[in-house]
Amino acid sequence: MKNLLFTLALCISFISFSQKTENHLVYFNKGNEKSEAKDYYGAIYEYTKSIEAKLPYIYPPSHINRALCKAKIGDLKSAFEDINYVIETLDAAWGDPYYWRGIIKLEYSKDYYGAIADFLRAIDYDNKDGRYVYFLGLAKEEIGDINGACNDWKKAVKLGYQDASKLVTEKCN
């Protein structure tokens, strides 16, 4: 009888856990919808629910998207906490967390040198991602290194990131 009760309790917990982890995507998608509608506070709420529903596991897109929304409302300290959590928890096994932290530094905190460091770190993980190189160029442009920026934008074009071609045409000889 004890084994039957234990098995039943175990099954219920697995079903509950399965439903809980599937729900994180529902909240994540709602967060995306609210973010696209520029309801950043609502998006932060939904991403938080996604994070809570996924526990004890981490779902990096929820943390990253929540960080971007926090940056958009001016809560940079909290935005960096979210991004840094992803980097520290997962030991940032890929470049995107560094890329997104670089975006926040570039666009919101105006920490151009910090952005450059993050984009370079992202490139260390994947030197074939043209986004990383393109935004590295934007950060270099902000510090007055137009030659470095042009080299990066040209490289981004070669990597297939066509948004860079307009800047190469407009700003590079």
Side-chain angles (χ1 to χ4, degrees), residues 106-168:
L106 175 66
E107 295 183 6
Y108 299 98
S109 71
K110 309 302 182 196
D111 174 9
Y112 304 121
Y113 290 98
I116 289 170
D118 280 337
F119 294 135
L120 287 171
R121 195 81 180 269
I123 291 166
D124 283 344
Y125 282 100
D126 183 358
N127 62 6
K128 303 283 188 232
D129 193 321
R131 294 174 306 153
Y132 301 166
V133 180
Y134 171 78
F135 283 94
L136 174 63
L138 290 180
K140 286 181 179 177
E141 179 187 31
E142 290 294 340
I143 64 167
D145 181 5
I146 194 66
N147 289 333
C150 286
N151 289 335
D152 290 333
W153 295 330
K154 289 173 186 176
K155 184 176 179 183
V157 171
K158 287 181 184 175
L159 292 171
Y161 196 76
Q162 294 307 310
D163 290 355
S165 61
K166 182 178 178 187
L167 291 177
V168 169

Side-chain angles (χ1 to χ4, degrees), residues 57-129:
Y57 304 102
I58 181 172
Y59 185 63
S62 294
H63 289 276
I64 291 169
N65 287 6
R66 183 172 73 174
L68 292 169
C69 288
K70 288 176 177 181
K72 289 176 183 179
I73 63 168
D75 186 0
L76 294 177
K77 180 179 184 281
S78 189
F80 285 122
E81 287 172 359
D82 275 349
I83 293 286
N84 291 337
Y85 176 77
V86 172
I87 290 170
E88 293 163 8
T89 303
L90 299 179
D91 195 22
W94 79 104
D96 268 10
Y98 291 105
Y99 164 77
W100 287 111
R101 188 170 69 181
I103 293 292
I104 293 171
K105 288 177 180 178
L106 175 66
E107 295 183 6
Y108 299 98
S109 71
K110 309 302 182 196
D111 174 9
Y112 304 121
Y113 290 98
I116 289 170
D118 280 337
F119 294 135
L120 287 171
R121 195 81 180 269
I123 291 166
D124 283 344
Y125 282 100
D126 183 358
N127 62 6
K128 303 283 188 232
D129 193 321

Side-chain angles (χ1 to χ4, degrees), residues 19-74:
Q19 290 172 342
K20 182 179 176 184
T21 57
E22 288 176 16
N23 286 340
H24 88 278
L25 291 176
V26 171
Y27 296 122
F28 178 76
N29 291 332
K30 285 181 184 179
N32 288 344
E33 290 170 9
K34 290 185 180 203
S35 179
E36 287 175 21
K38 298 187 183 341
D39 176 8
Y40 300 119
Y41 290 97
I44 290 167
Y45 174 80
E46 297 297 341
Y47 292 132
T48 300
K49 296 292 281 180
S50 173
I51 290 164
E52 291 170 352
K54 188 67 175 166
L55 291 175
Y57 304 102
I58 181 172
Y59 185 63
S62 294
H63 289 276
I64 291 169
N65 287 6
R66 183 172 73 174
L68 292 169
C69 288
K70 288 176 177 181
K72 289 176 183 179
I73 63 168

